[in-house]
Amino acid sequence: MNKSVHSEQNTSTLFQAEAWKNAFVKLLPQHAMQNPVMAIVWLGTIVTFISTILGKADLVFGLLVSLILLITVLFANYAEAIAEAKGRGQASSLRQARQNLTARRIANLHDIDGIQVAATALKPNDLIEVRAGELIPSDGEIIHGFATINEAAVTGESAPVLREAGTDRSGVIGGTKVLTDRIIVQVTAEVGNSFLDRMIALVEGSNRQKTPNEIALGILLTVMTVTFVIVVVSLPIIGHFLNISINPILLVALLVCLIPTTIGGLLPAIGIAGMNRALKANVIAKSGKAVEVAGDIDVLLLDKTGTITYGDRQATAFYPLAGVSDAELRQAAVLTSLADPTPEGKSVVALAKEQGEKVLEPEQAEFIPFNASTRISGLNLLNGQQIRKGALDAILKFTAQDISRHSELKTRVEQVASKGATPLVVAYGQNLLGVIELSDVIKAGIKEKFARLREMGIKTVMVTGDNPLTAAAIAAEAGVDDYIAEARPEDKLNCIRAEQNKGHLVAMVGDGTNDAPALAQADIGLAMNSGTQAAKEAGNMVDLDSDPTKLLAVVEIGKQQLITRGALTTFSLANDISKYFAILPALFVAAIPQMSVLNVMQLGSSESAILSALIFNAIIIPLLIPIALRGVKFKPSTSTQLLRRNMLIYGAGGVILPFVAIKAIDLVISQILLV
């Protein structure tokens, strides 16, 4: 415990030391120009210092102003640097996971020897063998075997996970460790473009793309800054005609207090911190835009299995139809499940064995694996007979039967579905044999989560391959707003497009190859780390924990990002008001005595007023860094409520706080200047 605390303290100290070093590095012109607002403050610092040296102002006063302005710039640079340092700290552990990796490349599935090569020599579609105790050298798909894998290097979670060929959990990541068994992996990543490579680039901030909102706000701040620069530059010209001489140092002070320095200094840090918060939730966002868009979504598409329910549907009962024996139905169900690698298919075999059924694989049979599009699995026997298991509508289509002619089947299906279970129908040729009951359990607290989303104004749509009766029962119990039953992969895509055509922003979760088109179409596609490479490539976010409900947390992170930027922008613009009442009287009261009416704070002197305003302008940036990095606390509410809360706390507070703070600083400064 003490060791852990000590380690955290050392890491924190390292971050701070690195951040302060980078804060000074960012003073170089090529870095400074990336932030126009703070570049103007930095230029003003240089102008003030030169003016002081040239005797344009009192030496002590001029140097104090120069120092305060320099500190202001350094604090702004530090805010950005500390956010970047946290990202680089996360990246360093990731780099260790990919160092000195080697691979056993094989020619085909039967090659037992292979050749040892460096991981950097691997190309897409290469086959590699990985045994227990070895590190997986590259991203890929398991095409043979299964294994438990330690993904702690990527996810931070030490508990091993199962990855298996032929399932939606076949994807593996380079740098993770195989703990048991042997697998053959087909490489999917180019050198330098692996999951770890992209993850490192993202958390370091080197690939951070500014979001549209961030770009728009940056343009607004730049326009405001340029406008105030023009105003301030024109003041000496106006003063010349009025026989008023204005000290250049005072002009710089006025400019610095006019431009939005607070949000200008914190804006880059807010963007980087948003990415870091997503990573802290074990979500890799491919861009800052993805995090921000997540905060704007208003339709959420969710799979039932694994998202709303636990996803481990198990066969719990066989219901044969009249004239069909229990053994007959069990045997047919087992045969159709032999080529079904899904947990449901395996549970059918397990339940039949428990009930005393012997599993005998027929010779020379053609197995039909389960397919998400057809929603059927089965086999074709050597004698030409076809046995199938699948959803009611799929089996009826296969057998060319009409449900109206099978009242018993209809009743049995409805009984199973009304319990929230999933009915699977078994057919032997054109004969309907009976129903398998698959039971699943709704996740605890999921209804409350959907209620929370509803408070945010987000519509939830459950997508399931189940029949309408089961779907309706689950939807009612879970509390979703709408559902799509008997859904095929293309139905997800059509639903997303339909909602987008109505002007909605849509998010969805997926892990299989068949989810890839919908993930790519959605405004936010959250792919599971355990899923296929195609799904991870199509999504713009990857959940390292492979928890489909994580999308709910992603939405909150996105909203928090938007609220944080909005709140600090409001505060920055609001606190400029008080600085005007400090600076303007100090500049013009000597030449225009009537300006004294603006000195509502009754500041001690012009010098004290200017120094107090500049000191407050400098210290408010580091005081707001924790909020920029941590984010403003988010509570589900309507846009009107959020705006009202924002204006009350950060608008009104942004006006009141500087008046109090500047007056307090002035009381101290005035005493120092008298000495």
Side-chain angles (χ1 to χ4, degrees):
M1 178 73 178
N2 291 334
K3 186 178 179 181
S4 175
V5 171
H6 184 67
S7 176
E8 287 180 12
Q9 289 174 343
N10 287 342
T11 303
S12 177
T13 304
L14 182 65
F15 281 165
Q16 291 180 6
E18 184 185 2
W20 278 117
K21 176 185 173 184
N22 287 331
F24 281 94
V25 172
K26 290 178 184 292
L27 293 175
L28 296 172
Q30 62 268 32
H31 298 294
M33 293 304 295
Q34 294 178 8
N35 189 335
V37 177
M38 300 315 300
I40 292 295
V41 180
W42 179 217
L43 182 62
T45 306
I46 297 170
V47 170
T48 302
F49 181 75
I50 293 172
S51 298
T52 303
I53 299 300
L54 295 176
K56 299 290 185 180
D58 178 75
L59 181 64
V60 175
F61 176 74
L63 290 177
L64 279 173
V65 171
S66 301
L67 179 62
I68 295 168
L69 293 180
L70 176 61
I71 290 172
T72 304
V73 179
L74 287 174
F75 279 156
N77 290 349
Y78 174 77
E80 181 178 2
I82 193 70
E84 291 174 343
K86 288 180 179 292
R88 278 191 288 271
Q90 292 166 324
S92 63
S93 61
L94 294 174
R95 280 201 182 88
Q96 294 174 2
R98 65 170 191 181
Q99 288 179 350
N100 302 321
L101 289 178
T102 59
R104 188 181 298 106
R105 187 166 60 196
I106 58 178
N108 52 58
L109 294 176
H110 307 292
D111 185 357
I112 59 173
D113 297 320
I115 56 171
Q116 207 73 19
V117 298
T120 53
L122 295 174
K123 301 186 295 294
N125 297 321
D126 280 352
L127 298 182
I128 52 176
E129 180 194 37
V130 192
R131 298 170 184 171
E134 296 177 345
L135 294 175
I136 298 171
S138 178
D139 297 358
E141 298 276 351
I142 300 175
I143 63 170
H144 178 76
F146 61 90
T148 52
I149 296 173
N150 184 344
E151 296 183 343
V154 177
T155 66
E157 177 56 58
S158 58
V161 295
L162 180 67
R163 297 286 179 263
E164 184 174 0
T167 70
D168 284 342
R169 293 181 172 266
S170 62
V172 292
I173 299 172
T176 56
K177 188 174 185 178
V178 174
L179 300 178
T180 63
D181 303 292
R182 166 185 174 272
I183 53 175
I184 293 176
V185 177
Q186 185 175 32
V187 176
T188 57
E190 298 275 359
V191 176
N193 197 36
S194 68
F195 190 79
L196 275 178
D197 289 317
R198 285 178 290 171
M199 195 171 167
I200 290 167
L202 285 165
V203 300
E204 283 185 326
S206 58
N207 278 5
R208 191 182 81 89
Q209 298 174 343
K210 291 184 178 180
T211 67
N213 285 345
E214 188 178 352
I215 293 170
L217 181 57
I219 292 171
L220 175 63
L221 297 180
T222 302
V223 170
M224 289 177 64
T225 301
V226 171
T227 303
F228 286 128
V229 168
I230 294 171
V231 170
V232 170
V233 169
S234 65
L235 286 178
I237 301 171
I238 298 170
H240 176 73
F241 290 104
L242 299 174
N243 293 319
I244 301 174
S245 178
I246 304 177
N247 192 301
I249 293 178
L250 300 182
L251 287 174
V252 171
L254 173 64
L255 177 61
V256 170
C257 289
L258 285 174
I259 64 178
T261 51
T262 305
I263 186 62
L266 294 172
L267 190 58
I270 294 170
I272 296 169
M275 296 282 286
N276 289 342
R277 277 196 296 277
L279 186 64
K280 195 173 180 180
N282 255 6
V283 173
I284 297 296
K286 295 183 179 180
S287 70
K289 180 182 178 181
V291 176
E292 195 164 281
V293 171
D296 282 330
I297 68 153
D298 47 13
V299 176
L300 193 57
L301 222 64
L302 303 124
D303 278 325
K304 185 203 76 173
T305 307
T307 304
I308 294 172
T309 63
Y310 282 103
D312 54 350
R313 292 189 301 181
Q314 302 291 306
T316 50
F318 295 106
Y319 299 107
L321 298 180
V324 180
S325 68
D326 289 344
E328 210 176 342
L329 175 59
R330 288 197 300 265
Q331 188 64 32
V334 168
L335 292 175
T336 60
S337 301
L338 291 175
D340 185 353
T342 64
E344 294 92 335
K346 293 176 181 178
S347 74
V348 171
V349 177
L351 180 62
K353 285 182 177 179
E354 286 177 15
Q355 296 184 2
E357 197 66 41
K358 292 183 179 180
V359 179
L360 298 172
E361 188 172 325
E363 295 181 2
Q364 297 181 340
E366 179 192 1
F367 287 98
I368 311 297
F370 176 79
N371 184 283
S373 296
T374 61
R375 294 179 297 136
I376 283 180
S377 64
L379 77 166
N380 299 330
L381 298 174
L382 193 60
N383 61 9
Q385 286 292 340
Q386 297 177 318
I387 309 175
R388 295 291 188 272
K389 172 198 74 188
L392 173 64
D393 62 314
I395 293 296
L396 289 174
K397 184 179 179 181
F398 172 76
T399 58
Q401 302 274 358
D402 187 348
I403 189 66
S404 61
R405 298 173 56 187
H406 295 274
S407 57
E408 184 190 3
L409 175 65
K410 183 180 179 182
T411 302
R412 181 63 71 184
V413 166
E414 288 177 352
Q415 286 175 346
V416 172
S418 63
K419 296 189 291 182
T422 301
L424 294 181
V425 182
V426 182
Y428 191 102
Q430 303 301 305
N431 300 317
L432 299 170
L433 301 182
V435 177
I436 305 170
E437 181 182 276
L438 294 179
S439 298
D440 201 353
V441 180
I442 289 180
K443 290 183 177 179
I446 197 75
K447 194 167 187 175
E448 289 74 16
K449 288 183 178 179
F450 289 143
R452 187 178 174 90
L453 286 169
R454 199 172 293 110
E455 289 177 21
M456 301 179 204
I458 297 172
K459 174 186 175 183
T460 51
V461 181
M462 181 186 78
V463 182
T464 176
D466 286 335
N467 65 78
L469 204 58
T470 303
I474 296 289
E477 189 177 349
V480 295
D481 299 310
D482 200 0
Y483 65 88
I484 300 172
E486 297 179 344
R488 298 165 298 173
E490 55 266 32
D491 293 329
K492 296 179 185 179
L493 189 61
N494 294 334
C495 177
I496 292 170
R497 285 173 175 167
E499 293 292 348
Q500 289 173 331
N501 290 336
K502 296 175 187 176
H504 297 300
L505 290 175
V506 185
M508 80 154 286
V509 175
D511 59 1
T513 300
N514 56 11
D515 291 326
L519 286 168
Q521 179 66 36
D523 299 284
I524 291 295
L526 180 65
M528 301 293 99
N529 179 42
S530 62
T532 62
Q533 193 67 25
K536 288 189 280 190
E537 290 291 340
N540 45 22
M541 287 185 173
V542 178
D543 176 24
L544 300 178
D545 296 327
S546 300
D547 175 11
T549 60
K550 186 66 70 65
L551 191 54
L552 310 184
V554 169
V555 170
E556 293 194 357
I557 291 170
K559 286 192 176 295
Q560 187 182 37
Q561 175 82 341
L562 293 170
I563 293 168
T564 301
R565 186 181 293 117
L568 294 183
T569 300
T570 302
F571 184 87
S572 175
L573 298 178
N575 73 35
D576 286 342
I577 296 171
S578 60
K579 291 181 285 187
Y580 304 158
F581 284 95
I583 291 291
L584 291 176
L587 275 176
F588 299 109
V589 72
I592 310 173
Q594 293 85 348
M595 292 287 287
S596 61
V597 73
L598 294 178
N599 188 17
V600 296
M601 288 180 280
Q602 297 297 304
L603 302 177
S605 65
S606 295
E607 291 82 2
S608 171
I610 291 167
L611 289 173
S612 299
L614 291 177
I615 289 172
F616 173 79
N617 194 63
I619 63 175
I620 198 64
I621 293 176
L623 291 176
L624 292 175
I625 287 177
I627 297 177
L629 297 180
R630 186 179 61 252
V632 175
K633 190 174 180 181
F634 169 71
K635 293 181 179 177
S637 48
T638 64
S639 299
T640 304
Q641 291 171 327
L642 285 173
L643 180 62
R644 190 183 297 120
R645 180 171 173 265
N646 188 20
M647 294 305 297
L648 181 63
I649 298 176
Y650 295 95
V655 172
I656 297 169
L657 175 64
F659 276 97
V660 176
I662 289 174
K663 180 60 181 177
I665 296 170
D666 174 73
L667 293 173
V668 176
I669 293 295
S670 297
Q671 296 299 316
I672 294 173
L673 292 177
L674 289 174
V675 175

